[in-house]
Amino acid sequence: MASRRTTHDVAIVAMGCTPFRDHWNSSADDLLVDAVQECVGSLPDVTLDDVDAFWVGTQGSGLSGQTLARPLRLTGKPVTRVENYCATGSEAFRNAAFAVASGAYDMVMATGVEKLKDSSYSGLSAVFPPADGTDVDWTAPAGFSLLAPAYQAAYGIDEREMRAAMTRVAVKNHANGARNDRAQFRRAVTAETVERSPRIAGQLGVMDCSGVSDGAAAAILVRAEDAHRYTDRPVYLRGMSFVAGSGAGLAADGYDFTSFPEVVTAAGEAYEQAGVTDPAAQISLAEVHDCFTPTEVVLMEDLGFSARGKAWRDILDGRYDLDGALPVNTDGGLKSFGHPIGATGLRMMFECFTQLRGEAGPRQVPDARLAVAQNLGGQPGSCVAFVAVLGNER
């Protein structure tokens, strides 16, 4: 049985998002306060006392709901901390949305934060529980590097064509990030820069990989029928799905590294709820999890934006450029922002929210009506996936 629409429709009435970068002089507490203050401050008649319940997503920057309650000095409020790999920020949003949709609360807040720069690691940090020794032991770049040769083999694409498509993803997203003052990397890059960057794993160079950064984001959600009490430009949650894979792909001969089945399922459910039958034509823009450049190539097909085996060509033809038919990662994506795990999913929501309200400035997509936010966690063959469809019409 697939997931269904919620009993009550949900709207986002306010959001806040810090810049994503090296916040050497700010703690996770500071970042949460900054994101929440921007979020609440955009609603003149709302204070934290009006928010009934809170969710905070973080992988390693705090334990329990006190991660948020302490810096905000919340008393007498339910605050829940969640974690779900790289989809942690989306998980905070999902639980907050369900809470207000159920009628349990009138107004809720979802937040996410991560301070990766405070760790001793150059990338994602996590403490894994003891295992039986059968887990696949590889790095994220190594795992995702398998997508490119698998895609080439499946669709008869030579390495030069695949390399060109991956390069175009990086160039496009950095060009978009150069227009965004919240992005970590605000400089456009050339194809030569991407392709000459030091090799990390397989065909992946440094410029094929998302960066490491700190950041936080926040959203206030209410029932759709109440949204106009707070803003004249609410953004509505039209559909939402989350799928946790069993990890069987890493142990099954049938998995070929050309798709994320969890994304396909989540997208199908979210589209059905939203009444989207032709995502390639109906979606105005999308924020997707471009942790590595071949990931975005594969996601264009998993989300139904390109036909199977055709995404590389659509990318090179400019379909997903800012002025293309379906702009993707208009804010710069993970390539320009980096990936503070707990905040990334909500950062994607923030860009969709901003675009659908017509507030994106030099990167504004004309006549934006429906947006997709897609967040991915784990590795190929063993993923969790979140997909939401947002709209500016109820």
Side-chain angles (χ1 to χ4, degrees):
M1 180 177 65
S3 59
R4 303 190 183 98
R5 286 183 62 87
T6 55
T7 302
H8 294 281
D9 288 341
V10 174
I12 309 170
V13 293
M15 291 200 73
C17 184
T18 70
F20 280 30
R21 56 192 56 152
D22 301 345
H23 287 284
W24 296 111
N25 297 321
S26 299
S27 66
D29 287 5
D30 295 328
L31 295 176
L32 280 169
V33 168
D34 289 347
V36 169
Q37 284 183 338
E38 180 185 5
C39 182
V40 176
S42 67
L43 300 178
D45 300 323
V46 171
T47 69
L48 283 178
D49 289 338
D50 297 311
V51 181
D52 300 316
F54 300 78
W55 279 258
V56 57
T58 187
Q59 179 176 266
S61 294
L63 298 173
S64 86
Q66 287 192 323
T67 301
L68 184 66
R70 183 183 60 252
L72 295 187
R73 299 293 188 262
L74 301 174
T75 57
K77 300 282 188 176
V79 186
T80 305
R81 180 249 184 185
V82 298
E83 181 277 326
N84 223 328
Y85 278 168
C86 299
T88 291
S90 298
E91 184 71 351
F93 178 90
R94 186 174 74 104
N95 280 270
F98 283 148
V100 75
S102 72
Y105 303 111
D106 295 325
M107 177 180 285
V108 298
M109 178 179 285
T111 67
V113 67
E114 214 71 59
K115 275 285 291 174
L116 291 180
K117 290 295 186 177
D118 285 354
S119 75
S120 59
Y121 298 91
S122 61
L124 305 186
S125 58
V127 178
F128 294 101
D132 61 4
T134 61
D135 293 341
V136 176
D137 185 15
W138 57 6
T139 65
F144 283 88
S145 74
L146 300 178
L147 298 175
Y151 189 91
Q152 292 169 211
Y155 300 115
I157 311 302
D158 67 36
E159 186 170 340
R160 185 183 68 257
E161 292 169 324
M162 189 68 190
R163 178 64 265 174
M166 291 161 55
T167 298
R168 182 63 175 266
V169 168
V171 170
K172 168 182 71 71
N173 291 353
H174 279 288
N176 293 346
R179 298 168 177 251
N180 192 336
D181 59 7
R182 296 178 196 254
Q184 180 181 26
F185 305 116
R186 296 201 59 212
R187 180 181 299 174
V189 300
T190 65
E192 182 181 26
T193 297
V194 175
E195 294 179 4
R196 289 192 174 185
S197 64
R199 194 66 61 92
I200 298 297
Q203 298 176 33
L204 303 185
V206 170
M207 295 301 294
D208 290 297
C209 309
S210 59
V212 180
S213 63
D214 306 327
I220 291 177
L221 291 75
V222 301
R223 286 185 294 279
E225 58 263 33
D226 298 329
H228 281 280
R229 294 169 50 190
Y230 305 102
T231 178
D232 59 358
R233 287 180 295 171
V235 169
Y236 299 99
L237 178 61
R238 300 284 297 273
M240 176 179 65
S241 179
F242 177 85
V243 172
S246 67
L250 296 178
D253 293 337
Y255 182 65
D256 67 358
F257 289 87
T258 65
S259 173
F260 301 101
E262 300 89 347
V263 173
V264 175
T265 301
E269 293 181 352
Y271 291 157
E272 183 177 3
Q273 294 168 25
V276 172
T277 56
D278 185 0
Q282 292 174 266
I283 300 301
S284 305
L285 67 132
E287 286 291 306
V288 308
H289 198 92
D290 59 320
C291 50
F292 303 95
T293 54
T295 312
E296 183 167 323
V297 178
V298 170
L299 289 172
M300 295 304 92
E301 298 177 11
D302 283 350
L303 291 167
F305 300 157
S306 288
R308 288 291 173 189
K310 302 298 183 182
W312 71 277
R313 185 70 263 170
D314 288 342
I315 289 168
L316 292 176
D317 288 344
R319 173 172 171 75
Y320 303 118
D321 290 358
L322 191 60
D323 60 355
L326 202 173
V328 171
N329 286 333
T330 55
D331 65 350
L334 278 73
K335 283 297 288 110
S336 293
F337 273 78
H339 181 30
I341 302 95
T344 288
L346 283 162
R347 186 268 302 161
M348 294 175 172
M349 292 280 186
F350 181 81
E351 176 65 7
C352 294
F353 180 79
T354 302
Q355 288 279 354
L356 291 170
R357 286 162 58 99
E359 299 173 341
R363 61 183 194 281
Q364 180 63 50
V365 174
D367 302 318
R369 295 184 179 182
L370 284 179
V372 163
Q374 177 273 321
N375 202 189
L376 180 70
Q379 299 190 29
S382 181
C383 288
V384 299
F386 171 88
V387 177
V389 179
L390 303 170
N392 52 20
E393 297 176 1
R394 190 172 172 188

